[in-house]
Amino acid sequence: MRYSPSASARRSTRRIPRNRRMIQSSWVSFDEAWPQPFDNSQRMWSYDRTVTIEKPLVTAPWRSFGFYALTGKSTLSFGKRINKETVCEALETIREQNPVGRILLVADNYGSHHAKLTQERADELGIEFVFIPPYSPTLNAIEPLWKSLKREISPEIYENEDHFREFLTETFLRLSHRVSFAVDWIEKFLPNIQRLR
């Protein structure tokens, strides 16, 4: 099934002045990560070096697909591996959460993003990829969000995989409400937009 905006959505887009059309699009920074409960472990200092912290080892067997929406709704989805099929599933999730309007997806040059299947599915869903140059993760606004997320999850103790997954999702969605992760990106690439939220 091919994504097609409603007639009213097409008419409303036509009425928007050209320089304000971007606001009607969802700007989404997209990236995959594999956060683990033991990432970025916190260090503790003591005089006698006898302080230890017992932490049960919980590992997450799935990868996280993050959508940091500058306009629109952020989402986090999971897949067992990163390949074109799981990327397509992640695209479907972001379209479900952002059903109206065009989606501009800022992403890196990972092979699964360029795959024919991924690009065809993106076209069907009304999602357009905007690829950052190779070896330039600083141009992807989601990178500082992943860094803060790993900092927040590392000191916590998790009962099991489900508890970790729930905490990861809640933390990602809470952090994604901050536009501050993308301030530099906004100033560089969207200088004419005064307000994103």
Side-chain angles (χ1 to χ4, degrees), residues 137-151:
T138 54
L139 296 180
N140 199 339
I142 199 172
E143 294 296 345
L145 191 153
W146 283 131
K147 185 176 179 182
S148 292
L149 177 92
K150 289 177 180 181
R151 189 179 302 119

Side-chain angles (χ1 to χ4, degrees), residues 11-68:
R11 280 193 302 273
S12 65
T13 303
R14 273 188 239 128
R15 286 191 210 123
I16 297 170
R18 179 168 242 225
N19 62 346
R20 294 195 56 221
R21 249 181 230 156
M22 289 180 164
I23 297 173
Q24 299 303 313
S25 302
S26 292
W27 281 86
V28 181
S29 187
F30 172 70
D31 194 25
E32 302 88 1
W34 193 12
Q36 296 291 327
F38 43 81
D39 279 346
N40 192 28
S41 297
Q42 303 289 314
R43 299 180 188 273
M44 181 172 267
W45 185 89
S46 71
Y47 285 105
D48 58 3
R49 298 184 183 189
T50 59
V51 176
T52 59
I53 298 174
E54 293 294 325
K55 191 171 179 182
L57 184 62
V58 174
T59 57
W62 23 257
R63 309 304 194 264
S64 303
F65 297 84
F67 303 96
Y68 174 40

Side-chain angles (χ1 to χ4, degrees), residues 90-171:
L91 295 178
E92 290 165 8
T93 301
I94 193 170
R95 176 46 81 189
E96 287 171 13
Q97 296 298 318
N98 298 275
V100 178
R102 183 173 68 149
I103 296 175
L104 298 173
L105 198 69
V106 179
D108 59 25
N109 288 280
Y110 193 71
S112 298
H113 302 163
H114 285 281
K116 184 179 179 183
L117 178 67
T118 303
Q119 291 300 311
E120 287 174 354
R121 189 66 183 127
D123 287 343
E124 291 169 0
L125 293 168
I127 297 174
E128 183 180 340
F129 275 86
V130 178
F131 293 104
I132 61 175
Y135 309 108
S136 54
T138 54
L139 296 180
N140 199 339
I142 199 172
E143 294 296 345
L145 191 153
W146 283 131
K147 185 176 179 182
S148 292
L149 177 92
K150 289 177 180 181
R151 189 179 302 119
E152 288 204 21
I153 64 177
S154 65
E156 299 293 324
I157 295 175
Y158 306 95
E159 297 171 14
N160 51 41
E161 290 177 14
D162 292 335
H163 179 220
F164 175 62
R165 187 172 176 156
E166 181 181 317
F167 186 87
L168 184 68
T169 303
E170 288 174 4
T171 305

